[in-house]
Amino acid sequence: MDRLLLTLLVFACFLLGLWAMRRSWRRRARSQSAVLPPFPRTPEEPGAEVLPETKGLYVSTTTAGDWQDRIVTRGVGLRGRAVLRLYPSGVEIDRAGAPGFFIPRESIVEVKRASGIAGKVMGTDSLIVITWRLGEKELDTGFRGDDLDVYPQWIKSLSEREIKGGAQ
């Protein structure tokens, strides 16, 4: 009987912990929704793709410079498979099973490789991180491509003031 009560107590503590995490996640999403404007959607006519699309894993979006401060509002806190597409007007992050979003070219501040962002830490610089402006906030969006050899092309293309050309 003591063992059953102890098991039920541990199970109840586990459920209480899950409930608290869910409540905290939802509260964080509500408070971020009040501060951040909606994430941009891909324009109807974004233009021709500048680089071939890159498949991989959308990791997360965080507050710029604070790689652990995850943005969770409007579904962007969920990591998953995604496709990155570069257009003259910006970058589309097309996520499987979650709302995608668009990073306008004029909003991009910096593009770099990194070894970590909320939800993924690696020993090498195998993430591409795009720092961009959404309203008054700067954000970091992390992506782990299936093919790391395309990173130099992406970084070079996104670092240029104007994106030129079409798919190669």
Side-chain angles (χ1 to χ4, degrees), residues 2-18:
D2 288 339
R3 180 173 239 149
L4 177 64
L5 288 175
L6 185 58
T7 302
L8 289 175
L9 179 65
V10 168
F11 187 68
C13 288
F14 176 74
L15 289 177
L16 181 64
L18 286 178

Side-chain angles (χ1 to χ4, degrees), residues 130-156:
I130 303 171
T131 302
W132 60 291
R133 226 175 248 104
L134 179 64
E136 299 297 315
K137 286 278 242 187
E138 278 192 6
L139 305 175
D140 285 336
T141 295
F143 184 83
R144 167 74 162 82
D146 292 341
D147 181 9
L148 304 183
D149 293 335
V150 301
Y151 283 11
Q153 288 177 298
W154 277 87
I155 292 170
K156 182 177 184 269

Side-chain angles (χ1 to χ4, degrees), residues 17-31:
L18 286 178
W19 174 80
M21 286 189 301
R22 183 173 188 269
R23 184 173 175 207
S24 174
W25 185 274
R26 292 177 62 129
R27 187 184 74 235
R28 183 179 188 96
R30 275 194 309 273
S31 68

Side-chain angles (χ1 to χ4, degrees), residues 108-136:
I108 297 174
V109 176
E110 180 185 17
V111 183
K112 63 186 175 206
R113 292 180 78 146
S115 60
I117 195 165
K120 192 83 162 165
V121 178
M122 311 185 92
T124 60
D125 287 343
S126 56
L127 296 172
I128 188 164
V129 175
I130 303 171
T131 302
W132 60 291
R133 226 175 248 104
L134 179 64
E136 299 297 315

Side-chain angles (χ1 to χ4, degrees), residues 42 49 51-59 80-87 90-103 128 130 141-146 154:
T42 304
E49 287 186 29
L51 293 174
E53 66 181 29
T54 299
K55 295 180 180 176
L57 179 73
Y58 164 78
V59 181
R81 298 294 303 165
V83 176
L84 220 57
R85 294 184 187 96
L86 179 60
Y87 299 105
V91 179
E92 176 186 19
I93 299 174
D94 185 12
R95 302 187 308 149
F101 59 95
F102 188 76
I103 302 174
I128 188 164
I130 303 171
T141 295
F143 184 83
R144 167 74 162 82
D146 292 341
W154 277 87

